Amino acid sequence: MNRMSGLIGTGDSLIARVDLCNKRQTIFHGYALPFIPFYLIGFLAWSTYFDLDQYEPGVIIAIAIGLIHALTFLFCFWSVDVKCWLTCSKAYDPITAKFVKVTPKPHNGSKELVPIHVDVFPGTTKIWFEFQKAHYVYDKDEKKCFTTVQFPVSESFSYYQKWRGYENEQDVQSAKDDYGNNQMEMVIPDFRELFQERATAPFFVFQVFCVALWCMDEYWYYSVFTLFMLIAFEASLVYQQLRNMAEIRKMGNKPHLVNVYRERKWRQVVSKELVAGDIVSISRSRMDEDQLVPCDMLLLRGRLIVDEAMLTGESIPQMKEPIEGVSADTILDLDVHSRLHIINGGTKIVQHTPPPKNTSKEVTGKESPLRPSDNGCVAYVLKTGFNTSQGKLLRTILFGVKRVTANNLETFAFILFLLIFAIAASAYVWIKGTEDPNRSRYKLLLNCVLILTSVVPPELPIELSLAVNSSLLALSKLYVFCTEPFRIPFAGKVDICCFDKTGTLTSDCLVVEGIAGVNPSSTVENQDENNKQKLCPVLNSPVITQQVLASCHALVNMEDDLVGDPLEQAMLKAVDWSLTKGDIVIPRRKLPGAHPMKIVHRFHFSSLLKRMSVIVSYEESGSTGHNYMATVKGAAEILKPMFTKVPDNYDEIHQKLSHQGARVLALGIRQMGSNFSSQQIREIKREEVEQDLEFAGFVIISSPLKHDSKAVIRELKAASHHISMITGDNPLTACHVAKVLKITAKKILVLSKTDTDQGSWHWKSIDDAESFPVEPQNWRKVLAEQYDLCITGEGMTFLESFNMKFSKQVLPGIRVFARVSPKQKEQVITNLKQLGFTVLMCGDGTNDVGALKHANVGVALLSNAPAPKKNIQEDKNKPSLSNGNDKKQQNKQSEQSANHPGRQNVRQRNFEKGQPRGIKNRMQQRQEELERKKKKLQDMMGEMEQDASVVKLGDASIASPFTYKLSSIMAVCHIIKQGRCTLVTTLQMFKILALNALILAYSQSVLYLDGVKFADGQATLQGLLLAGCFLFISRSKPLKVLSAQRPLPNIFNMYTILTVIGQFAIHFVSLIFLVQKAKELDPKEEPIDLEADFEPNLLNSTVYIISLAMQINTFAINYRGHPFMESLFENKALLYSLVGSGTFLICLVTGAMPDVNAQFQITEIDPEFRMLILQVVGADFVCAFLVDRVMRFLLGRGRLAKI
């Protein structure tokens, strides 16, 4: 098996390794035949060393072997590695192997043993297996390993253009055999199968084992109650899991008819029968049909506008261009071309422009048949089924449901720590017990096992899942959706919060301030230098400047609304030109020298190139031919070398405007002449267009900060977090925004290159007044302590080549990363993680995807993403957001959208009409809120029994683990609050469970030998109190404001260990003292019969009362409360349960209700001893409280990682 463990393709994102194996016959499994000798040896040992009349040794031996046997069998359910070891033999050839053990990469599910399938075709054999809905096929010819299905996604554009679909049914069948069809089916298992899976889980088996032990120790009521609670809880989880699976099953695309070019003609095929390589016709669906794109496709001909909000969260519909106009030698790259040429499955086409008839000649030189009869656009199917972008998101949701867990490693470490005390107590019971030859060894052994099992409380897994699930439910009500719940505790540990700038910290509502670098005249020559320094209104700028602004964009007229980038919408609106459906821009007013222009070709904006260019055609008056012109916009430093003549104060104007926080784009224009055919225009290369440009000025765009950005950044900084900005914008603009937001508090140094021939690098202040070498001596004191640092993408590349060690040292101290590419954003996040920081990244769901995915906590802001109609209807009956601020934010966003017609759609307008306004509506809202709160109280208990509901498409995105449905960065505060709350809840649960386990271990050991027992009713009451208090703890809500104090990041820490030991020591002393006093008042001289039935006496009653008091004290003392969650007095449910329990305890001690004392078998207590008990309980509370608070003060504060 080891020799073949490398049988997985390198770079696979899901699987780490596979091991081949074959199953042995059942009799040769490790839990079958090998145990027969053990039973024979046990019987021989019993018959040899003991009298056969002594059944106890035989029973003990049989139980011991039986337990080992049962555990061995159950381990096959718990561990795939153990299952393979016990039931399988190694295999060295995929052809002879029947099974494969799959080990996934971290956070991608768990190991599985899956069958290998062998399909025999004429002349070939296909060996494959399926893991998490992904198919892996064995490549026996070249790679000699299992690889994912190799879809045709890396061919040249000419290959796709020449492809004419499958010519016969045999080719279609062969493609289905290779790629599979376009089905996203999920078989939902029945209740019995899912319950069996849960019933064989380690904790459930352990709990049932504990219940059996309690039954043997005559705790019948308590055992039956616990068993019923366990089964009911697991059954409710199974039902919730079935509902989740049913929801996921509905998420896949509904099959519908699609026009496909097969066998040299267009025909209709059901979408689920599509295969990779099909040529299909796609068009906008009718209003009565809610059809989505069935799979991932490459657009060959025609143009589309696609709504990707359901998949990427991008609120602005995206324009998709055909590959006709791109060089035929270009190789398809999914990362590079996905934004422009690829239509993702699960998205919706909102407008399509069919391919024109006059472009029907393809690279083959003959008439193309690829003009669909339904007048749709032509596309090539790239990926199908679960391999599409939508399929990957569904798999994340489907297999992410099971990953609701806390830190398992720390959990086991903590249990092992408690096990030390349990082993000591068990050893004491066995040694002391065996000193009396008349005592039952069976009862002693039973009690020893009970002590060991008491370390792991039966409710532990329930409590751990409740802590995470409560946060999931709370976040979903705030419109924050999470596909990877295991990341919630990471949010409580965040050290560095990184933010994108544009669209995240700043608003999408952009304002064009004016034009700089030119005079308000029709020419840019012989201009007055003083006027160049000033901003002129866009409408007064030179004609060529207005022509660039009007034409250099990727906007689309869709139903008389502009669709596209808000920045480009703002520029077109400012220049006062209109865009028609035929891509013609027309000035709305008379402008000398300006003509209507038709956009004939676009080189779209690239974040890597930092520019965009467009070719337009126009007709001059009196001319019959078309003239062509190139218009370009982009980053000032990128376009500078492309200009034929650069103004002397080019850099000065650019820097001055950037200092003020504005976004500055350089504009360029070039006349290309008239000797071009449409084919030549399509084939022209970008480099030929973007050269010899005439400078047309700088356009100045300001993007105001979002209304809550300052408040959120202030709260995060006050809550002990480092804040950084990572943006593709200019460093001067980024530094200005960082200064306004108080991300930077000190003077900023930018790593920049001097303009000398050598081009040396220095840390320079923005005003160039100060300069330092790249790596000065004692750099922490010189740079980090006195200045905030800013670095550009180019500077990052230099710094890594200059000194990689210094680069990593200085990285955490950099507050602003500017002009970085999406790949460099990802690199910043991964480097910070490698340095040991817990990193949060917040950005939009588009060019930040890599950084969001790699961050410990990635938050995508998906503003204005359309909700499914079903959800909108349901939301009418649900509370909206948790606070009024979010509602105000929604109203404000709606108003902003109203000012930008390109961002409107029918649903948004309908939503705005329904917004509450006026005092009357606010009063009505308050009344409705009161009614909702009443209903919430009734549903509280039922709600907690549910698992976190499944995340739906449209709520989640492929962008990041956390998705926020609004545009505010307030989501970061919500997530960190819930993360801290989850961390603290888990920590206090472990403290309480540990103390209860230690007290129980002592009670069942030392006190057991003194004959102390609890009545069945007493044990049941104690269990009910424990379960209720834990439930109410998990219901704790975080405070509205983040605290400056950070929680401890780990469960296993000095504070927890010392406070648990200290509190236990106090409880131990209190218990010993009262037990001794009880013995003095009610002495027992005769030998203690450990097997006698429970009889009420002073000792039993005293121990029960003090145990109950310690339990109440433990909950009251160890509840964390402020500054991370609501205090004990604010958590009314927990407070009332503790006050009620305390009152009940006092009644038991004082005998105020004799009938209750009789019911719980509490004996009458002497008045003096009553006072002593109450005094000891009070002293126990005070001392334990002091120990915990002192330890908390000294060791209980988390510390922010130093940079």
Side-chain angles (χ1 to χ4, degrees):
M1 203 147 44
N2 293 333
R3 200 178 75 189
M4 302 304 290
S5 61
L7 280 173
I8 193 70
T10 56
D12 189 84
S13 60
L14 180 61
I15 297 177
R17 59 179 284 168
V18 297
D19 298 288
L20 302 174
C21 54
N22 285 313
K23 279 197 174 180
R24 297 193 292 264
Q25 290 183 3
T26 307
I27 189 66
F28 295 111
H29 287 181
Y31 53 77
L33 192 64
F35 272 89
I36 296 175
F38 286 111
Y39 283 107
L40 290 173
I41 292 168
F43 178 77
L44 288 172
W46 178 33
S47 59
T48 304
Y49 296 102
F50 300 97
D51 190 348
L52 291 177
D53 294 336
Q54 293 179 306
Y55 70 92
E56 284 187 352
V59 170
I60 290 171
I61 292 170
I63 289 174
I65 298 172
L67 281 174
I68 296 169
H69 195 172
L71 281 172
T72 306
F73 177 74
L74 287 168
F75 258 106
C76 293
F77 293 96
W78 300 341
S79 169
V80 174
D81 291 320
V82 173
K83 182 177 182 177
C84 289
W85 183 57
L86 292 175
T87 64
C88 299
S89 57
K90 297 177 186 178
Y92 299 98
D93 189 350
I95 297 172
T96 58
K98 301 295 182 187
F99 290 87
V100 60
K101 184 182 76 173
V102 183
T103 305
K105 289 188 174 177
H107 306 310
N108 280 297
S110 52
K111 295 180 182 179
E112 287 185 31
L113 186 66
V114 296
I116 290 179
H117 303 272
V118 179
D119 296 337
V120 180
F121 304 109
T124 184
T125 302
K126 178 182 174 184
I127 302 169
W128 61 278
F129 69 84
E130 183 183 85
F131 177 70
Q132 293 186 3
K133 299 295 180 183
H135 280 255
Y136 286 82
V137 182
Y138 183 64
D139 184 354
K140 59 179 180 292
D141 298 322
E142 296 179 8
K143 298 181 180 178
K144 304 289 185 185
C145 65
F146 284 98
T147 59
T148 50
V149 177
Q150 300 299 302
F151 287 94
V153 292
S154 55
E155 306 291 345
S156 67
F157 280 5
S158 63
Y159 168 86
Y160 300 113
Q161 290 168 332
K162 291 175 183 177
W163 179 252
R164 293 295 174 269
Y166 296 109
E167 297 189 353
N168 52 58
E169 196 58 39
Q170 287 81 6
D171 290 345
V172 175
Q173 188 58 48
S174 176
K176 282 187 180 180
D177 295 335
D178 288 340
Y179 306 124
N181 55 18
N182 190 37
Q183 286 185 317
M184 282 192 281
E185 286 187 342
M186 190 187 75
V187 179
I188 298 179
D190 57 17
F191 177 86
R192 181 174 164 276
E193 186 179 339
L194 285 176
F195 189 80
Q196 182 183 340
E197 182 184 334
R198 287 190 171 274
T200 52
F203 269 117
F204 188 84
V205 172
F206 174 77
Q207 289 162 334
V208 172
F209 174 68
C210 290
V211 166
L213 289 175
W214 294 329
C215 285
M216 294 167 74
D217 205 31
E218 298 167 7
Y219 286 103
W220 287 99
Y221 291 159
Y222 183 54
S223 303
V224 171
F225 161 74
T226 307
L227 187 62
F228 173 78
M229 185 179 71
L230 293 174
I231 292 172
F233 181 78
E234 295 295 341
S236 69
L237 291 182
V238 170
Y239 276 120
Q240 181 63 38
Q241 195 175 348
L242 286 169
R243 285 196 296 271
N244 290 349
M245 287 181 171
E247 286 286 348
I248 295 170
R249 192 178 190 181
K250 293 175 189 174
M251 289 181 194
N253 295 343
K254 293 177 183 176
H256 58 274
L257 292 175
V258 180
N259 269 340
V260 183
Y261 191 76
R262 288 183 184 173
E263 300 179 34
R264 300 185 182 180
K265 62 181 179 182
W266 291 98
R267 56 176 62 195
Q268 286 198 325
V269 172
V270 180
S271 58
K272 67 180 182 180
E273 295 298 325
L274 291 175
V275 291
D278 267 331
I279 301 292
V280 299
S281 168
I282 51 175
S283 59
R284 181 183 181 184
S285 59
R286 297 197 304 270
M287 291 299 291
D288 59 337
E289 296 176 351
D290 196 19
Q291 294 176 357
L292 303 177
V293 177
C295 51
D296 289 355
M297 304 178 186
L298 177 68
L299 187 59
L300 301 180
R301 306 188 66 229
R303 286 170 59 190
L304 296 169
I305 299 173
V306 182
D307 181 0
E308 297 185 334
M310 291 287 284
L311 192 65
T312 65
E314 177 60 66
S315 59
I316 302 163
Q318 299 295 301
M319 180 190 292
K320 300 293 181 180
E321 294 279 350
I323 61 171
E324 278 182 316
V326 185
S327 171
D329 297 329
T330 305
I331 302 298
L332 178 63
D333 186 323
L334 294 181
D335 293 329
V336 174
H337 298 118
S338 61
R339 192 168 177 83
L340 188 59
H341 300 302
I342 293 174
I343 312 122
N344 291 314
T347 57
K348 188 174 183 179
I349 297 170
V350 293
Q351 182 174 304
H352 81 281
T353 306
K357 293 179 182 178
N358 61 353
T359 61
S360 59
K361 285 193 175 184
E362 296 291 327
V363 290
T364 55
K366 60 182 180 181
E367 286 295 313
S368 168
L370 301 182
R371 185 169 177 81
S373 55
D374 63 352
N375 216 23
C377 297
V378 182
Y380 178 100
V381 175
L382 292 173
K383 291 184 176 183
T384 56
F386 279 100
N387 298 285
T388 62
S389 300
Q390 183 192 25
K392 287 178 181 175
L393 178 57
L394 279 173
R395 280 166 45 198
T396 302
I397 296 170
L398 175 61
F399 297 104
V401 170
K402 297 179 182 177
R403 300 199 295 264
V404 181
T405 178
N407 192 324
N408 286 326
L409 186 63
E410 289 189 341
T411 302
F412 284 113
F414 203 83
I415 288 171
L416 288 174
F417 166 70
L418 296 178
L419 200 60
I420 296 169
F421 296 92
I423 290 170
S426 295
Y428 176 82
V429 168
W430 184 259
I431 293 166
K432 285 289 183 181
T434 50
E435 289 176 359
D436 184 356
N438 297 322
R439 278 184 176 167
S440 168
R441 300 296 188 269
Y442 164 75
K443 278 284 187 180
L444 277 176
L445 182 64
L446 175 63
N447 195 255
C448 289
V449 176
L450 277 168
I451 293 167
L452 291 173
T453 57
S454 68
V455 169
V456 187
E459 59 277 358
L460 180 64
I462 299 175
E463 309 309 339
L464 292 181
S465 61
L466 276 177
V468 179
N469 283 345
S470 297
S471 293
L472 282 176
L473 287 165
L475 286 173
S476 66
K477 290 174 185 175
L478 295 168
Y479 289 177
V480 179
F481 299 93
C482 178
T483 54
E484 299 178 0
F486 69 89
R487 293 187 185 270
I488 289 179
F490 282 108
K493 309 177 186 180
V494 167
D495 298 306
I496 301 177
C497 297
C498 301
F499 291 91
D500 179 36
K501 182 180 80 71
T502 309
T504 302
L505 295 170
T506 59
S507 171
D508 283 334
C509 180
L510 303 169
V511 179
V512 178
E513 301 287 351
I515 306 296
V518 294
N519 276 336
S521 60
S522 59
T523 176
V524 292
E525 296 179 5
N526 302 320
Q527 296 182 24
D528 181 31
E529 291 298 321
N530 292 328
N531 283 339
K532 286 186 185 181
Q533 297 277 1
K534 300 175 182 177
L535 284 183
C536 76
V538 175
L539 297 179
N540 295 341
S541 63
V543 174
I544 59 170
T545 305
Q546 296 190 44
Q547 286 175 325
V548 177
L549 293 175
S551 60
C552 192
H553 55 71
L555 299 175
V556 177
N557 183 320
M558 189 178 77
E559 297 177 354
D560 296 326
D561 277 344
L562 286 179
V563 172
D565 190 339
L567 182 145
E568 294 177 340
Q569 289 185 39
M571 289 196 295
L572 188 63
K573 185 179 177 183
V575 81
D576 199 21
W577 286 48
S578 61
L579 175 69
T580 69
K581 291 184 179 180
D583 266 352
I584 298 172
V585 285
I586 305 169
R588 295 179 187 269
R589 57 196 174 83
K590 288 185 179 180
L591 189 65
H595 310 278
M597 299 180 291
K598 179 175 175 58
I599 298 169
V600 293
H601 193 66
R602 287 184 176 96
F603 294 101
H604 284 265
F605 173 78
S606 162
S607 56
L608 191 65
L609 299 175
K610 299 184 177 71
R611 64 183 183 271
M612 175 187 182
S613 53
V614 168
I615 300 175
V616 296
S617 67
Y618 63 95
E619 291 182 7
E620 289 185 323
S621 56
S623 171
T624 55
H626 287 87
N627 288 332
Y628 291 90
M629 182 168 63
T631 59
V632 185
K633 72 170 188 281
E637 66 272 22
I638 299 296
L639 261 58
K640 185 178 179 182
M642 300 177 186
F643 293 125
T644 53
K645 184 180 178 183
V646 179
D648 295 335
N649 56 354
Y650 183 95
D651 292 327
E652 182 187 342
I653 296 172
H654 171 226
Q655 289 185 10
K656 182 180 178 182
L657 293 166
S658 297
H659 273 309
Q660 298 167 7
R663 187 170 182 181
V664 183
L665 295 177
L667 307 176
I669 194 168
R670 178 165 76 94
Q671 296 291 339
M672 297 175 65
S674 57
N675 300 322
F676 291 96
S677 67
S678 57
Q679 184 69 22
Q680 287 175 316
I681 290 292
R682 286 200 306 274
E683 291 178 355
I684 196 168
K685 292 186 177 179
R686 188 167 192 157
E687 294 77 18
E688 296 174 24
V689 175
E690 296 169 345
Q691 62 178 353
D692 301 329
L693 301 174
E694 181 182 355
F695 176 66
F698 295 110
V699 60
I700 315 304
I701 307 107
S702 66
S703 49
L705 294 172
K706 288 182 181 174
H707 69 282
D708 58 356
S709 290
K710 278 187 179 180
V712 171
I713 297 296
R714 184 168 60 246
E715 184 175 352
L716 289 173
K717 287 193 78 174
S720 305
H721 294 101
H722 301 299
I723 312 291
S724 292
M725 182 196 295
I726 310 178
T727 178
D729 211 342
N730 180 281
L732 299 174
T733 306
C735 288
H736 175 80
V737 173
K739 189 175 180 181
V740 171
L741 288 172
K742 305 290 177 67
I743 292 174
T744 57
K746 297 175 274 191
K747 197 169 185 178
I748 302 174
L749 296 180
V750 184
L751 183 63
S752 47
K753 193 176 182 180
T754 56
D755 295 330
T756 58
D757 294 335
Q758 291 82 10
S760 59
W761 290 80
H762 288 82
W763 293 101
K764 296 171 69 175
S765 60
I766 291 174
D767 57 7
D768 290 334
E770 297 176 78
S771 178
F772 298 94
V774 176
E775 189 180 2
Q777 289 185 346
N778 197 3
W779 67 270
R780 287 188 188 276
K781 192 172 183 181
V782 174
L783 295 179
E785 292 180 9
Q786 299 182 40
Y787 300 94
D788 285 320
L789 304 180
C790 168
I791 193 169
T792 61
E794 190 182 1
M796 276 179 60
T797 306
F798 162 75
L799 203 58
E800 287 169 3
S801 61
F802 173 75
N803 187 334
M804 179 61 81
K805 184 180 177 183
F806 175 68
S807 169
K808 289 192 174 181
Q809 287 175 336
V810 80
L811 184 72
I814 296 171
R815 296 278 69 85
V816 180
F817 298 86
R819 280 281 185 260
V820 289
S821 65
K823 198 69 183 171
Q824 286 176 315
K825 287 185 181 183
E826 186 180 317
Q827 186 183 340
V828 169
I829 299 297
T830 51
N831 286 345
L832 286 171
K833 283 174 64 182
Q834 287 171 2
L835 292 170
F837 294 95
T838 304
V839 186
L840 179 144
M841 174 69 193
C842 179
D844 57 37
T846 50
N847 59 349
D848 298 322
V849 172
L852 292 169
K853 278 288 186 187
H854 282 82
N856 298 105
V857 181
V859 186
L861 306 181
L862 310 183
S863 58
N864 301 327
K869 292 177 183 176
K870 178 183 174 186
N871 290 359
I872 293 172
Q873 188 65 33
E874 287 173 356
D875 284 349
K876 290 179 182 177
N877 302 321
K878 288 183 182 179
S880 58
L881 295 179
S882 64
N883 54 49
N885 292 332
D886 288 12
K887 179 64 75 178
K888 288 175 188 173
Q889 175 189 333
Q890 258 189 332
N891 293 339
K892 189 166 182 178
Q893 286 173 342
S894 299
E895 290 166 12
Q896 288 174 355
S897 297
N899 295 328
H900 293 270
R903 292 169 65 188
Q904 293 178 353
N905 55 42
V906 176
R907 279 174 292 191
Q908 285 174 320
R909 286 197 288 268
N910 289 342
F911 180 72
E912 287 162 13
K913 287 176 187 174
Q915 288 297 297
R917 47 184 169 172
I919 299 170
K920 183 179 177 181
N921 278 7
R922 282 200 295 272
M923 290 174 67
Q924 187 179 347
Q925 268 188 306
R926 286 175 186 170
Q927 289 176 354
E928 288 174 0
E929 198 64 39
L930 284 171
E931 290 299 317
R932 288 174 189 143
K933 284 181 179 176
K934 287 179 184 175
K935 192 172 185 300
K936 271 188 178 179
L937 285 172
Q938 295 169 2
D939 297 342
M940 185 184 290
M941 294 302 295
E943 189 181 277
M944 275 318 299
E945 289 176 1
Q946 296 179 2
D947 197 357
S949 61
V950 66
V951 179
K952 298 179 177 63
L953 286 177
D955 294 337
S957 80
I958 55 174
S960 71
F962 290 92
T963 304
Y964 190 43
K965 297 289 288 184
L966 301 174
S967 63
S968 167
I969 61 170
M970 184 59 72
V972 173
C973 292
H974 293 326
I975 292 166
I976 290 176
K977 284 172 196 169
Q978 289 296 341
R980 287 186 172 187
C981 193
T982 303
L983 263 183
V984 172
T985 300
T986 308
L987 177 61
Q988 67 191 15
M989 281 181 174
F990 270 94
K991 285 166 61 183
I992 293 166
L993 290 170
L995 283 164
N996 287 338
L998 291 175
I999 293 167
L1000 195 61
Y1002 176 74
S1003 301
Q1004 290 179 336
S1005 56
V1006 179
L1007 299 182
Y1008 167 77
L1009 295 176
D1010 290 333
V1012 174
K1013 290 183 178 181
F1014 289 165
D1016 205 352
Q1018 292 175 349
T1020 307
L1021 176 70
Q1022 210 165 2
L1024 276 169
L1025 172 63
L1026 199 70
C1029 288
F1030 272 125
L1031 179 67
F1032 298 137
I1033 281 180
S1034 68
R1035 295 284 300 174
S1036 300
K1037 296 174 184 175
L1039 297 181
K1040 291 182 180 179
V1041 180
L1042 283 168
S1043 68
Q1045 185 178 335
R1046 293 171 60 88
L1048 291 166
N1050 304 308
I1051 299 166
F1052 204 68
N1053 55 70
M1054 287 303 293
Y1055 160 67
T1056 306
I1057 292 171
L1058 292 178
T1059 190
V1060 166
I1061 292 174
Q1063 288 182 63
F1064 175 65
I1066 290 163
H1067 295 328
F1068 179 77
V1069 170
S1070 303
L1071 198 56
I1072 289 287
F1073 176 74
L1074 283 180
V1075 166
Q1076 292 299 325
K1077 289 294 181 184
K1079 284 181 179 179
E1080 291 173 8
L1081 291 173
D1082 187 17
K1084 287 188 178 181
E1085 295 180 359
E1086 68 278 2
I1088 298 168
D1089 183 7
L1090 296 179
E1091 297 184 35
D1093 293 335
F1094 173 82
E1095 288 183 7
N1097 57 49
L1098 185 61
L1099 182 59
N1100 286 341
S1101 298
T1102 304
V1103 171
Y1104 178 70
I1105 288 168
I1106 190 65
S1107 297
L1108 194 62
M1110 287 174 183
Q1111 194 166 300
I1112 296 167
N1113 289 350
T1114 299
F1115 276 105
I1117 292 166
N1118 293 284
Y1119 180 78
R1120 188 66 172 91
H1122 288 190
F1124 304 114
M1125 57 177 67
E1126 55 190 4
S1127 67
L1128 182 58
F1129 293 101
E1130 293 166 336
N1131 188 340
K1132 301 296 184 186
L1134 180 61
L1135 178 66
Y1136 294 156
S1137 69
L1138 291 177
V1139 169
S1141 301
T1143 306
F1144 176 75
L1145 179 76
I1146 292 170
C1147 290
L1148 288 181
V1149 176
T1150 58
M1153 294 184 289
D1155 291 341
V1156 174
N1157 280 32
Q1159 179 67 35
F1160 287 96
Q1161 296 176 291
I1162 303 293
T1163 59
E1164 190 175 345
I1165 303 173
D1166 182 77
E1168 287 185 14
F1169 193 51
R1170 285 180 196 168
M1171 284 304 298
L1172 183 63
I1173 291 173
L1174 292 174
Q1175 287 169 358
V1176 170
V1177 168
D1180 178 83
F1181 176 83
V1182 171
C1183 294
F1185 179 84
L1186 288 173
V1187 165
D1188 182 70
R1189 293 306 184 267
V1190 169
M1191 291 300 168
R1192 184 188 295 182
F1193 177 77
L1194 296 175
L1195 303 168
R1197 293 171 180 267
R1199 292 178 183 171
L1200 179 62
K1202 290 184 179 179
I1203 56 174

